[in-house]
């Protein structure tokens, strides 16, 4: 029997990671509660490998979905965010990455200024949004989305 457990469990509020790698299969990175910031990290997994109920920003991160390596044609979903309503303040912001969602009512799926392989949006889901700047700004502005009280400005980067 194959046991699957999160490679990293991020539970507390106000956690930041920079230049870290997270590699697993399913549930690689679990951000259950609170605000989290990932900068220039590498995150790899097969299916639902970024999940939880947190409020997280993934800036300049490399997201590597490896489902196709296990079985050609296999589809692996990157994120499984537990947001339950449009009023829920939790969510994930990926700077330049794509993912697919199941509940269109609780997801805002938009790609803004993406480049590189896979950035052609012509074959994306039909419910993809093109929000005006006033709606997009609170999501892409780290200060408004996760750093309202300035906690991120006070973090120290520790390298192991």
């Amino acid at each position: 029997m194959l046991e699957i457990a999160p490679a990293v469990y991020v539970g507390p509020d106000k956690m930041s990671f920079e230049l870290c790698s997270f590699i697993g299969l399913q549930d690689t990175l679990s951000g259950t509660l609170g605000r989290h910031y990932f900068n220039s990290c590498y995150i790899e997994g097969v299916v639902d490998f970024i999940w939880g109920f947190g409020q997280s920003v993934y800036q300049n991160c490399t997201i590597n979905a490896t489902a196709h390596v296990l079985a050609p044609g296999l589809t692996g979903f990157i994120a499984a965010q537990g947001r339950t309503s449009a009023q829920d303040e939790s969510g994930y912001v990926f700077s330049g990455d794509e993912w697919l969602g199941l509940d269109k009512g609780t997801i805002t799926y938009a790609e803004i200024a993406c480049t590189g392989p896979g950035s052609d949006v012509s074959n994306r889901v039909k419910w993809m949004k093109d929000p005006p700047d006033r709606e997009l700004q609170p999501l892409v502005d780290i200060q408004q989305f996760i750093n309202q009280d300035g906690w991120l400005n006070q973090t120290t980067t520790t390298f192991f």
Side-chain angles (χ1 to χ4, degrees), residues 9-33:
Y9 177 81
V10 182
D13 187 26
K14 302 178 183 178
M15 293 193 72
S16 67
F17 300 86
E18 187 170 3
L19 298 171
C20 296
S21 292
F22 306 95
I23 300 171
L25 297 174
Q26 182 176 4
D27 303 341
T28 301
L29 184 57
S30 171
T32 56
L33 298 171

Side-chain angles (χ1 to χ4, degrees), residues 4-149:
I4 297 177
V8 175
Y9 177 81
V10 182
D13 187 26
K14 302 178 183 178
M15 293 193 72
S16 67
F17 300 86
E18 187 170 3
L19 298 171
C20 296
S21 292
F22 306 95
I23 300 171
L25 297 174
Q26 182 176 4
D27 303 341
T28 301
L29 184 57
S30 171
T32 56
L33 298 171
R35 296 166 289 168
H36 314 118
Y37 177 69
F38 299 85
N39 183 29
S40 302
C41 293
Y42 178 86
I43 305 165
E44 176 180 297
V46 175
V47 62
D48 292 344
F49 55 96
I50 300 173
W51 71 281
F53 305 92
Q55 190 173 358
S56 304
V57 172
Y58 300 86
Q59 186 172 37
N60 302 317
C61 292
T62 299
I63 309 294
N64 187 18
T66 58
H68 67 285
V69 174
L70 294 178
L74 181 64
T75 300
F77 295 95
I78 293 171
Q81 213 286 336
R83 185 178 177 151
T84 58
S85 74
Q87 291 73 36
D88 189 339
E89 293 185 3
S90 69
Y92 298 153
V93 172
F94 294 91
S95 180
D97 301 305
E98 71 171 272
W99 80 98
L100 299 176
L102 298 176
D103 186 351
K104 296 176 274 189
T106 60
I107 293 174
T108 297
Y109 178 74
E111 293 184 46
I112 311 300
C114 295
T115 61
S119 64
D120 177 14
V121 298
S122 63
N123 290 318
R124 297 294 192 259
V125 294
K126 302 297 181 221
W127 46 270
M128 185 170 137
K129 296 179 175 96
D130 185 15
D133 286 345
R134 71 181 186 296
E135 289 180 24
L136 187 62
Q137 191 60 32
L139 299 175
V140 296
D141 183 340
I142 293 170
Q143 301 304 318
Q144 291 182 44
F145 188 63
I146 62 169
N147 196 36
Q148 306 89 342
D149 58 0

